[in-house]
Amino acid sequence: MHEPPHLAGVPLKRKRWLLAGIVLGAAFVLIAVSVIQFLRLQNTGHSPDLLVDSDFRGFESSLAFYKLNEGQYPTTEQGLEALEKRPEPGPEPRRWSQIMTRLPKDPWGNSYRYQFPAPGDPEKPLISSNGPDGLAGTADDLSSTGE
């Protein structure tokens, strides 16, 4: 069997630990997303802002796993969809794997927006919701930075 170049010369024991770390990371993300979705379904009477905040945390965990696996966040053009299906266009992922089976909508039925890098922080992505009015750039918009 042909070995990937980035693993050439790595001892078998270390490869096993690397694989175990990736599997445990994926399991953690999947469990976190499942718990968030379960709580979302159970708490439909709670404030929509709390549901959005919960979704932001779920996206942040999933994006952290994506970055761990790929070495970088998805581009703005690839968007959050890169968590659900192989990203296009842009840089081809090294070891892409599906992290989310379905992207949640905000409490008002709209898709979340994604931008990387975030304005003012070149190391982090920005996730946002258009809020109740469904329009970008208005006072009721919500973002993962809290601004």
Side-chain angles (χ1 to χ4, degrees):
M1 180 187 283
H2 181 27
E3 188 171 65
H6 64 281
L7 293 178
V10 177
L12 182 59
K13 189 173 185 177
R14 181 153 182 186
K15 289 177 192 174
R16 288 181 181 151
W17 279 108
L18 179 64
L19 178 61
I22 290 171
V23 169
L24 287 174
F28 173 77
V29 168
L30 291 174
I31 290 170
V33 169
S34 297
V35 167
I36 289 168
Q37 291 300 340
F38 174 77
L39 292 174
R40 181 184 176 127
L41 292 174
Q42 297 300 313
N43 295 321
T44 54
H46 284 79
S47 163
D49 292 0
L50 291 176
L51 296 175
V52 170
D53 190 51
S54 173
D55 285 343
F56 287 161
R57 286 194 305 271
F59 281 129
E60 288 167 353
S61 295
S62 297
L63 288 164
F65 181 73
Y66 184 96
K67 183 178 180 186
L68 176 70
N69 202 31
E70 297 300 324
Q72 63 188 21
Y73 288 113
T75 64
T76 299
E77 293 76 25
Q78 292 169 332
L80 294 170
E81 291 77 17
L83 302 172
E84 184 181 28
K85 54 188 172 214
R86 183 172 286 279
E88 295 176 9
E92 180 70 22
R94 296 180 303 184
R95 297 181 306 263
W96 182 85
S97 62
Q98 185 180 33
I99 297 171
M100 299 180 89
T101 56
R102 184 181 58 83
L103 296 175
K105 301 278 188 187
D106 70 14
W108 304 280
N110 301 307
S111 297
Y112 285 98
R113 296 188 327 259
Y114 172 83
Q115 181 180 349
F116 179 76
D121 191 349
E123 302 296 318
K124 298 217 174 214
L126 173 70
I127 306 151
S128 56
S129 163
N130 290 340
D133 69 3
L135 301 172
T138 58
D140 67 347
D141 291 2
L142 303 167
S143 79
S144 57
T145 62
E147 295 176 12

